């Protein structure tokens, strides 16, 4: 079996695929701070024995949690003389422009732990001043005396020539072999000193945490006899080995969420849908991303803790372009100082959870509101739900503030949550030059199917797809991934002056490095597939656009084709193009896939419309415009391929519910996915 587990803020999910392509799922509570225990719990709950698992893939929130909760280790920085304060200076752009009290983010490394050594490299990678190795050793011993557990090294222009950083690592290991060291060139070879230094520091900050977690997880897996291949999900939508993930754990910063995005892209290819908006609502957050012509968007302009008030911390590694907001099933409804209703970003989590969970939660959540409006059934919960307590919480915390009924208050919570989610969906579509009407929406996570149809109507999306195993779809996406590594090298060249032989040599170097990495991971050269890109811009611009590069040797025809593609992509992103203006390359980007054999999806055994036989009940449900309507409720597991359902209706499964509005029509496809015509 291939087994994937995904740790979320509320639940730990598991999906398995056997050799016949049959899917099985399980869920259990996430178990902070010992997250590995939740993984073992969900494996046991699924009934799978460890010996059956030939491939184990894992997505985790351990890295992002360690960063946002400041649970990493005490970290030191060794940098080029004169550049000690790069982290403090950061960037001059201020997101909160008119805030006279604005403060830049506090560096993860305080100034007394940022040490300088003599060395200098120019932008071409030529040595201007040799590295003072003795100063590196002295700096390491000083940091050891200060009690640090990890060291980051970031030297000027190391992206062009890493020799000094490599020498510094060797020097540190001579005087302090056991310390965790991160050299900036091992995590990013892109320019921009601040961003590269920040990435190296954050990798060092979580490196011992990641190593400890992965070692514990590996030990627990061995105890239950899991001896197969073990992989970790990365932020670039590919996987890597346990060993590699311990070296560069910063690549796991969005480990869990991106798997669902990749899964949506794979599902789209299976169903013949190349343009997809992937939409994932879990217990704590809602996440979305846009897939254009089958391609998952990847960016290195990723930041944590970045919003309209805070500049955040840049992490210059490949991350799927994803928008994430604090709105999920456990998001708390509250009244702000001005008397307005808000939903999220605070979450009730798994403990105590929504009021409906009966674990002591007192604040109403989106889940509680969906219960009161009839979209969720109390019978679909693992515990006995006290509906009186749920209604009382909504009435006391929301209804009384506005002098409205509990039904109106519950619907208000849903509307506010939908508004927040709609804004996120617009950020990845309309705001980036895409028309949502040209896309299908793939909705998953526990809450995705419940909110997707209302949001699709607002956006003008014509088709919504609720995949099989929707509540654990991120874990399903992991089962469909290949090993992946991204190699990005800063390479500043004007397109009309580029030397073809030099460009081809640089590409060959990147491909050789990829083959060497995959060989260490047991992937033969015949299973390695490459995709090539360049980051380009008009001369004089600051930011670049990622442009696909055709396969084969770089030629004059290639340059012309890449230039033409750049102009078109620039117009799509920024509404204009400057044909005839000089262009330049900023970065070479090679994506290397180690292709792993994956089973085909099984089709449903039974074909033919049996919707009437799958009817569970008829119950009143409150809809935004139509009010209370008697609504037919169906059991998803009983529906055959070809079953058709007209809205209003609800399709229930153990951990999710799909809400179909009046005028919408659902058809079950051959794989068991719910395909809904939104009536737009």
């Amino acid at each position: 079996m291939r087994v994937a587990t995904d740790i979320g803020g509320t639940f730990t999910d598991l999906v398995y695929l056997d050799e016949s392509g049959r899917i099985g799922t399980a869920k259990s509570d996430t178990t902070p701070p010992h997250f590995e225990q939740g993984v073992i719990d969900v494996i046991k709950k699924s009934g799978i024995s460890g010996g059956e698992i030939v491939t184990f893939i894992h997505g985790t929130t351990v890295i992002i949690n360690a960063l946002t909760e400041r649970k990493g280790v005490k970290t030191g920085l060794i940098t080029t003389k004169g550049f000690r304060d790069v982290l403090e200076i950061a960037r001059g752009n201020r997101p909160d422009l008119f805030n006279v009290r604005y403060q830049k983010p506090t560096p993860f490394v305080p100034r007394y732990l940022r040490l300088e050594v003599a060395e200098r490299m120019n932008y071409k990678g030529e040595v201007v001043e040799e590295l003072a190795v003795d100063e590196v050793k002295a700096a390491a011993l000083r940091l050891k005396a200060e009690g640090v557990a990890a060291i980051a090294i970031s030297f000027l222009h190391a992206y062009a020539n890493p020799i000094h950083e490599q020498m510094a690592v060797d020097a540190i290991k001579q005087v302090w072999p056991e310390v965790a060291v991160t050299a900036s060139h091992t995590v990013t070879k892109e320019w921009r000193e601040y961003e590269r230094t920040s990435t190296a520091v954050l990798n060092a900050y979580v490196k011992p945490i990641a190593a400890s977690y992965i070692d514990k997880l590996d030990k627990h897996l061995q105890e239950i006899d899991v001896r197969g291949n073990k992989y970790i999900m990365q932020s670039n939508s590919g996987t890597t080995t346990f060993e590699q993930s311990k070296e560069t754990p910063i690549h796991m910063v969005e480990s869990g969420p991106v798997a669902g995005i990749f899964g949506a892209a794979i599902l789209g290819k299976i169903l013949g849908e190349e343009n997809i908006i992937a939409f994932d609502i879990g217990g704590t957050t809602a996440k979305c991303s846009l897939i254009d012509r089958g391609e998952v968007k990847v960016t290195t302009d990723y930041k944590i803790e970045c919003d309209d008030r805070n500049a955040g911390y840049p992490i210059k590694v490949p991350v799927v372009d994803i928008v994430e907001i604090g709105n999920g099933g456990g998001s708390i409804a509250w009244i702000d100082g001005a008397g307005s209703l808000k939903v999220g970003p605070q979450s009730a989590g798994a403990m105590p959870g929504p009021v409906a969970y009966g674990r002591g939660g007192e604040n109403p959540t989106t889940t509680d509101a969906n219960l009161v409006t009839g979209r969720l059934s109390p019978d679909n919960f693992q515990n006995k739900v006290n509906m009186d307590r749920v209604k009382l919480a909504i009435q006391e915390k929301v209804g009384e503030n506005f002098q409205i009924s509990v039904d109106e208050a519950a619907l208000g919570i849903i509307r506010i949550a939908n508004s927040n989610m709609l804004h996120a969906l617009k950020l990845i579509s309309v705001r980036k030059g895409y028309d949502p009407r040209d896309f299908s929406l793939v909705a998953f996570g526990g809450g995705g199917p419940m909110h997707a149809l209302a949001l699709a109507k607002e956006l003008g999306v014509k088709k919504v797809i609720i995949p099989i195993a929707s509540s654990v779809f991120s874990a399903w996406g992991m089962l469909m991934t290949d090993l992946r590594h991204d190699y990005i090298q800063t390479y500043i060249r004007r397109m009309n002056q580029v030397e073809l032989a030099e460009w081809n040599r640089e590409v060959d170097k990147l491909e050789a490095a990829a083959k060497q990495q995959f060989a260490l991971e047991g992937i033969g050269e015949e299973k390695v597939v490459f995709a090539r890109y360049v980051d380009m811009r008009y001369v004089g611009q600051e930011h670049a656009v990622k442009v696909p590069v055709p396969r084969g040797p770089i030629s004059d025809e290639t340059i012309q084709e890449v230039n033409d593609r750049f102009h078109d992509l620039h117009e799509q992103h920024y509404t204009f193009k400057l044909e005839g203006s000089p262009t330049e390359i900023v970065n070479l980007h090679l994506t290397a896939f180690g292709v792993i054999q994956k089973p085909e999806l099984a089709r449903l055994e039974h074909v033919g419309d049996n919707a009437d036989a799958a009817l569970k009940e008829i119950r009143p449900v409150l809809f935004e415009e139509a009010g209370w309507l008697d609504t037919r409720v169906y059991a998803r597991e009983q529906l055959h391929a070809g079953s058709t359902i007209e809205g209003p209706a609800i399709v229930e499964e153990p951990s999710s519910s799909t809400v179909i509005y009046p005028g919408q029509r659902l058809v079950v496809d051959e794989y068991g996915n719910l395909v809904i015509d939104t009536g737009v």
Side-chain angles (χ1 to χ4, degrees):
M1 285 187 183
R2 288 170 62 86
V3 172
T5 57
D6 175 33
I7 297 177
T10 308
F11 296 108
T12 296
D13 301 335
L14 178 144
V15 174
Y16 65 81
L17 271 173
D18 63 21
E19 290 178 346
S20 67
R22 298 285 166 204
I23 291 175
T25 68
K27 263 183 183 286
S28 69
D29 289 340
T30 294
T31 53
H34 305 293
F35 293 98
E36 67 279 359
Q37 188 57 51
V39 176
I40 303 304
D41 290 347
V42 79
I43 292 174
K44 290 178 178 176
K45 192 172 180 179
S46 71
I48 298 171
S49 68
E52 295 177 283
I53 301 174
V54 295
T55 302
F56 176 84
I57 306 169
H58 182 55
T60 177
T61 54
V62 166
I63 301 306
I64 190 68
N65 288 348
L67 292 171
T68 56
E69 297 170 12
R70 302 299 189 270
K71 296 279 181 68
V73 299
K74 192 173 184 179
T75 302
L77 171 66
I78 298 176
T79 189
T80 305
K81 194 170 186 178
F83 288 82
R84 178 186 189 184
D85 294 319
V86 161
L87 287 180
E88 203 95 44
I89 296 167
R91 291 289 170 195
N93 49 329
R94 285 169 44 171
D96 197 5
L97 191 60
F98 299 105
N99 180 1
V100 294
R101 293 189 177 88
Y102 172 77
Q103 291 184 326
K104 290 183 178 179
T106 303
F108 275 70
V109 181
R111 196 169 194 271
Y112 77 98
L113 294 178
R114 303 196 299 260
L115 307 181
E116 300 175 343
V117 296
E119 74 86 38
R120 195 61 178 244
M121 195 82 62
N122 69 13
Y123 73 98
K124 296 179 181 177
E126 299 165 343
V127 177
V128 175
E129 181 179 358
E130 293 289 346
L131 173 68
V133 175
D134 289 344
E135 291 185 21
V136 175
K137 292 179 179 178
L141 292 174
R142 180 175 164 188
L143 291 173
K144 184 177 183 180
E146 293 287 357
V148 307
I151 297 174
I153 304 169
S154 183
F155 290 154
L156 192 66
H157 301 305
Y159 61 86
N161 183 352
I163 185 65
H164 282 178
E165 286 194 349
Q166 292 166 348
M167 291 168 62
V169 172
D170 291 340
I172 292 168
K173 290 298 184 181
Q174 287 174 29
V175 297
W176 192 6
E178 64 275 15
V179 70
V181 182
T182 296
S184 73
H185 75 274
T186 62
V187 287
T188 177
K189 288 189 176 179
E190 284 192 69
W191 66 349
R192 304 193 187 283
E193 297 311 311
Y194 168 54
E195 286 79 0
R196 191 162 52 84
T197 303
S198 172
T199 306
V201 163
L202 295 180
N203 189 78
Y205 183 73
V206 297
K207 193 171 181 178
I209 304 296
S212 173
Y213 170 72
I214 292 168
D215 286 342
K216 285 179 188 173
L217 176 60
D218 198 17
K219 182 183 174 204
H220 279 67
L221 290 171
Q222 289 180 31
E223 287 171 354
I224 62 170
D225 203 31
V226 177
R227 307 290 175 188
N229 295 322
K230 304 182 188 82
Y231 302 113
I232 291 277
M233 191 72 197
Q234 298 184 110
S235 305
N236 62 5
S237 80
T239 54
T240 190
T241 60
F242 273 28
E243 284 305 311
Q244 180 60 36
S245 65
K246 289 193 287 187
E247 291 302 311
T248 52
I250 202 65
H251 285 284
M252 297 165 10
V253 68
E254 288 285 1
S255 173
V258 301
I261 309 303
F262 181 78
I266 294 295
L267 183 64
K269 288 178 182 177
I270 293 171
L271 302 182
E273 299 279 347
E274 286 203 315
N275 287 352
I276 295 286
I277 295 174
F279 183 49
D280 174 12
I281 304 178
T284 308
T285 58
K287 298 163 280 283
C288 53
S289 185
L290 185 135
I291 298 150
D292 180 24
R293 286 170 285 189
E295 185 179 340
V296 176
K297 301 290 183 184
V298 174
T299 178
T300 57
D301 292 328
Y302 174 80
K303 295 179 181 178
I304 59 168
E305 300 179 19
C306 177
D307 55 34
D308 58 354
R309 297 291 178 92
N310 302 288
Y313 301 86
I315 299 178
K316 210 148 188 64
V317 297
V319 178
V320 169
D321 194 3
I322 192 170
V323 171
E324 186 169 352
I325 61 168
N327 257 158
S331 293
I332 293 170
W334 54 287
I335 309 298
D336 70 7
S340 299
L341 175 62
K342 304 285 184 183
V343 179
Q346 302 92 337
S347 174
M351 290 295 293
V355 178
Y357 283 11
R359 296 174 178 171
E362 297 179 351
N363 296 307
T365 66
T366 311
T367 294
D368 297 312
N370 279 309
L371 257 172
V372 170
T373 55
R375 297 161 188 237
L376 284 176
S377 167
D379 299 332
N380 220 21
F381 284 70
Q382 293 179 349
N383 57 290
K384 183 172 176 58
V385 177
N386 186 330
M387 285 300 297
D388 290 337
R389 186 171 294 169
V390 172
K391 289 179 178 179
L392 182 63
I394 291 176
Q395 187 61 35
E396 286 184 345
K397 297 292 176 72
V398 178
E400 289 180 4
N401 183 75
F402 299 103
Q403 298 297 303
I404 56 176
S405 69
V406 66
D407 295 346
E408 292 173 309
L411 197 58
I413 293 170
I414 293 170
R415 281 175 162 158
I416 296 295
N418 282 347
S419 175
N420 294 338
M421 296 169 191
L422 186 67
H423 176 64
L425 289 168
K426 286 181 177 178
L427 285 176
I428 55 101
S429 57
V430 179
R431 297 282 187 90
K432 294 194 174 180
Y434 294 98
D435 187 341
R437 293 172 295 185
D438 297 333
F439 290 78
S440 295
L441 183 70
V442 175
F444 50 97
M450 208 156 3
H451 297 266
L453 277 304
L455 296 167
K457 284 176 65 178
E458 289 279 346
L459 277 173
V461 172
K462 296 178 176 64
K463 184 188 290 185
V464 172
I465 301 165
I466 311 297
I468 194 162
S470 62
S471 67
V472 291
F473 189 70
S474 286
W476 182 89
M478 292 178 201
L479 294 177
M480 297 296 147
T481 58
D482 294 310
L483 274 81
R484 171 172 172 162
H485 296 294
D486 285 82
Y487 300 85
I488 302 174
Q489 176 69 59
T490 292
Y491 180 80
I492 312 292
R493 300 290 188 279
R494 294 212 177 180
M495 285 294 275
N496 59 359
Q497 298 173 0
V498 71
E499 295 181 15
L500 298 179
E502 182 190 53
W503 188 349
N504 280 305
R505 277 197 306 272
E506 291 299 321
V507 172
D508 290 343
K509 280 185 197 174
L510 297 178
E511 291 187 357
K515 290 173 184 175
Q516 184 179 6
Q517 178 65 45
F518 280 125
L520 294 173
E521 297 174 354
I523 300 294
E525 199 171 307
E526 72 283 356
K527 293 183 178 178
V528 178
V529 177
F530 297 118
R532 300 186 296 183
Y533 307 88
V534 286
D535 294 327
M536 287 181 63
R537 64 187 184 184
Y538 291 115
V539 173
Q541 277 188 325
E542 169 67 7
H543 296 293
V545 174
K546 192 168 295 295
V547 183
V549 176
R551 294 179 181 177
I554 306 299
S555 63
D556 290 329
E557 291 75 19
T558 306
I559 290 177
Q560 184 59 50
E561 184 176 345
V562 170
N563 242 334
D564 292 342
R565 288 182 180 181
F566 165 70
H567 291 303
D568 292 340
L569 286 168
H570 193 280
E571 184 177 31
Q572 180 185 314
H573 286 291
Y574 301 110
T575 73
F576 72 95
K577 58 183 175 181
L578 303 172
E579 288 181 304
S581 296
T583 59
E584 65 182 355
I585 300 172
V586 177
N587 298 311
L588 304 179
H589 182 173
L590 176 74
T591 300
F593 299 94
V595 180
I596 298 173
Q597 184 65 37
K598 294 172 281 292
E600 288 189 15
L601 277 185
R603 290 169 170 80
L604 293 184
E605 291 180 11
H606 302 290
V607 180
D609 190 347
N610 75 325
D612 289 342
L615 183 67
K616 291 174 68 175
E617 63 173 333
I618 297 175
R619 69 169 183 257
V621 176
L622 182 58
F623 290 92
E624 284 91 327
E625 295 169 2
W628 286 99
L629 296 176
D630 286 338
T631 302
R632 296 164 75 86
V633 181
Y634 299 86
R636 180 170 185 175
E637 65 274 10
Q638 295 179 21
L639 290 169
H640 295 174
S643 293
T644 303
I645 295 170
E646 302 286 343
I650 288 177
V651 179
E652 288 186 344
E653 51 192 301
S655 50
S656 186
S657 291
T658 302
V659 179
I660 305 156
Y661 281 67
Q664 298 178 340
R665 187 170 183 265
L666 176 151
V667 176
V668 182
D669 74 4
E670 58 184 325
Y671 300 104
N673 303 301
L674 308 182
V675 181
I676 303 147
D677 181 343
T678 63
V680 174

